[in-house]
Amino acid sequence: MSVERTVELEGHIIDSGRMQACFTAVMDLGGSFEVEAFDVGKHETDESYCRLRVTAADDVTLREILHELHQNGAVLEDPPNVTLEPAPEDRVVPSGFYSTTNHPTEVRYDDAWIPVEHIEMDCAIVLEPEGGPDGDPRAYTKVLNAIESGDLVATDESGIRVRPPERPRGSDGPFGFMQGGISAERPSESTIRQVADELVETAENGGTVLVVAGPAVIHSGAGEALARLVREGYVDALSAGNGFATHDLERSIYGTSLGMDVETLEHPRKGHKHHIWTISEVIREGGIAEAVEAGTVTEGVMYECVENDVPYVLAGSIRDDGPLPDTITDAVEAQNAIREQAREADLVLMLATLLHSVAVGNCLPSTTRTVCVDINPATVTQLLDRGSAQAIGMVTDIGTFVPTLADFVLESDAE
C-alpha cells in the first residue's frame, strides 16, 4: 500500500531550478508526484507557487524523498510545529537532531515561523520559548560542543523550512557575473574588475569585507597590494594562520618570505632561518601590535591592520613554528573567533588558502557573497563540495589577482 504527503514550494522556483530539482529528486528516489496547483509569476519579480502530492511505496522511501525536498525549500502542507527535545547533557544532542544547512532557516513554533539566528551548516537549532528581547520565542544555531544540558533542540525537519538562494527572472542575482561556479577561461581582467566593483560597492554601503589569506599571498609578492587595500579602508577584517602573518612580518623585517627575496627571487645566506627569527623577535616584543609600536615591523599587511585598527584572527595548526603570540592555538577558541568574523561579513575574499577557506566557508550563511581565488582548481572545488554553494571561484595566479584588484579598486576610488 502506497503512502503520500503534500508539499508546497514558493518563490522563484522556476528560474532558480528548485522546482525541477524537486521533480528530479522524487523520481530518482523511486517515488511519483502529481502537481495539484501551479501558479506562475507573470512578471520578472513575481514569485511562483506549486503544490505537489508525493507518493511512495513505503514510509522509509517517503521520508527520504521528503528530506530531499526539504533541502530544496519545500515544506509540508499545513506543517506541524517543530519537535523539540531537551539535551540530556552538556555537549550531547538528542538522537535524530536536525543538522542545519547554511541557507536561511525558520522553525515553526506556536503556529508561527521564527527565523533561526546565526545560521551556518552542521549545527543544531536551539529554541528558547521566551528568549527574545520582548519575551518572544527565539531560535538560533549552536555547535555541538556549545550545547548545554536542557537546551531545547529541534529534532524533526517537518516543522523547519529552509530558503535556498534564488534568482528572479531578468536579474543576475547575487554575484551573477560569475554565476556557474569555477572557470579558468573567463577573461581575468574583466572578472577582477567586477570583483573590484563589488568590493567598492560593499565599502560605500557600509558593509563588512572579510579577507581570508594564505601564505602564498606573501610568497607571490601580492602582500604589498593587500596592505594597500587594508590601508585604504577596503578590508574590515582578516582571517589567516600563523604562516601568513609570519611571512608577512618576515618580509617587513628581513625583506624575504620563507627565506626568498620576493622581488629578486634570490635566497640570501641564512634566509631559511628568517621566519623563525621573525617569530622570535615578535615574541620578544610581546606580540604583533607591540612589534609595530616598537618599530620592529614597519610595513606589510599585519602592520596596516594594527595601524588602521583592522581586527584579525590568526588560527593555529599542528604545523606552526613558534607560534606567534597572537596565534590562537586552541582549535575551539579559534573556531569561535572565526565564527564571529563570518557573522559580520557581507563580502568574503578567500585568497590562496584551502584549509582556511573551507574553515571560514563552513561558518558562512549562503547569503554571504564569497569569492575564492586560487591557482589550483581543486581548492575551489573542495570548498563548493563542502556545501558552500554561495562561493564562486576564479582560478588564477594570486600574485596577479591581488595587485590588479587593488589597482581597480583604488582607480575607482580616485574617480
Side-chain angles (χ1 to χ4, degrees), residues 146-219:
I147 291 291
E148 298 176 277
S149 177
D151 279 346
L152 295 178
V153 179
T155 60
D156 186 82
E157 65 188 18
S158 59
I160 300 171
R161 68 180 176 191
V162 298
R163 296 187 179 274
E166 295 188 325
R167 180 168 58 87
R169 182 184 300 276
S171 170
D172 286 334
F175 267 162
F177 67 87
M178 291 177 71
Q179 203 82 23
I182 309 164
S183 175
E185 299 179 356
R186 292 186 176 87
S188 293
E189 187 168 301
S190 62
T191 304
I192 297 172
R193 185 177 292 279
Q194 289 168 310
V195 175
D197 290 343
E198 293 286 343
L199 188 58
V200 171
E201 181 181 349
T202 301
E204 289 178 346
N205 291 335
T208 298
V209 176
L210 169 63
V211 169
V212 184
V217 174
I218 308 302
H219 302 333

Side-chain angles (χ1 to χ4, degrees), residues 260-290:
M260 182 187 72
D261 188 311
V262 297
E263 295 179 356
T264 66
L265 302 184
E266 295 177 351
H267 291 266
R269 185 172 177 271
K270 296 186 179 181
H272 63 286
K273 298 183 179 182
H274 287 176
H275 77 284
I276 200 67
W277 286 350
T278 295
I279 293 171
S280 176
E281 289 303 310
V282 175
I283 291 174
R284 193 187 323 279
E285 298 291 358
I288 296 174
E290 291 82 358

Side-chain angles (χ1 to χ4, degrees), residues 106-410:
E106 298 167 304
V107 296
R108 190 168 180 82
Y109 179 76
D110 200 15
D111 298 327
W113 290 107
I114 302 170
V116 177
E117 302 171 19
H118 307 315
I119 194 67
E120 62 177 278
M121 67 176 72
D122 301 331
C123 290
I125 296 177
V126 172
L127 188 136
E128 296 181 10
E130 298 179 354
D134 299 319
D136 298 327
R138 178 190 177 216
Y140 53 93
T141 59
K142 267 192 176 184
V143 293
L144 299 193
N145 63 45
I147 291 291
E148 298 176 277
S149 177
D151 279 346
L152 295 178
V153 179
T155 60
D156 186 82
E157 65 188 18
S158 59
I160 300 171
R161 68 180 176 191
V162 298
R163 296 187 179 274
E166 295 188 325
R167 180 168 58 87
R169 182 184 300 276
S171 170
D172 286 334
F175 267 162
F177 67 87
M178 291 177 71
Q179 203 82 23
I182 309 164
S183 175
E185 299 179 356
R186 292 186 176 87
S188 293
E189 187 168 301
S190 62
T191 304
I192 297 172
R193 185 177 292 279
Q194 289 168 310
V195 175
D197 290 343
E198 293 286 343
L199 188 58
V200 171
E201 181 181 349
T202 301
E204 289 178 346
N205 291 335
T208 298
V209 176
L210 169 63
V211 169
V212 184
V217 174
I218 308 302
H219 302 333
S220 66
E224 182 178 345
L226 181 56
R228 287 171 61 201
L229 290 173
V230 176
R231 182 169 59 249
E232 297 300 327
Y234 289 98
V235 176
D236 301 291
L238 174 72
S239 182
N242 183 72
F244 171 86
T246 295
H247 297 303
D248 175 70
L249 297 166
E250 175 193 342
R251 181 144 169 34
S252 174
I253 297 173
Y254 294 102
T256 60
S257 175
L258 202 58
M260 182 187 72
D261 188 311
V262 297
E263 295 179 356
T264 66
L265 302 184
E266 295 177 351
H267 291 266
R269 185 172 177 271
K270 296 186 179 181
H272 63 286
K273 298 183 179 182
H274 287 176
H275 77 284
I276 200 67
W277 286 350
T278 295
I279 293 171
S280 176
E281 289 303 310
V282 175
I283 291 174
R284 193 187 323 279
E285 298 291 358
I288 296 174
E290 291 82 358
V292 170
E293 184 177 353
T296 303
V297 175
T298 59
E299 62 180 341
V301 179
M302 302 311 300
Y303 171 85
E304 295 296 347
C305 285
V306 171
E307 289 291 284
N308 294 280
D309 296 321
V310 173
Y312 53 84
V313 170
L314 303 180
S317 77
I318 198 69
R319 309 180 309 278
D320 288 337
D321 291 323
L324 293 164
D326 303 73
T327 300
I328 303 173
T329 56
D330 183 293
V332 174
E333 183 183 346
Q335 275 188 12
N336 290 334
I338 290 173
R339 189 167 283 113
E340 290 300 318
Q341 286 184 313
R343 288 172 179 171
E344 298 296 324
D346 298 294
L347 174 64
V348 180
L349 299 182
M350 298 177 171
L351 308 176
T353 171
L354 170 59
L355 297 181
H356 249 79
S357 294
V358 171
V360 174
N362 287 352
C363 298
L364 293 172
S366 62
T367 52
T368 302
R369 295 169 297 163
T370 304
V371 178
C372 182
V373 183
D374 203 288
I375 195 65
N376 184 357
T379 297
V380 190
T381 300
Q382 186 162 339
L383 180 68
L384 269 65
D385 286 348
R386 284 286 300 137
S388 299
Q390 83 280 17
I392 49 178
M394 185 174 179
V395 180
T396 190
D397 173 34
I398 202 68
T400 299
F401 176 85
V402 179
T404 306
L405 177 69
D407 287 343
F408 286 156
V409 168
L410 299 177

Side-chain angles (χ1 to χ4, degrees), residues 76-92:
L76 291 174
E77 185 182 38
D78 298 323
N81 287 318
V82 65
T83 302
L84 301 169
E85 292 186 26
E89 300 177 43
D90 289 352
R91 296 184 294 179
V92 178

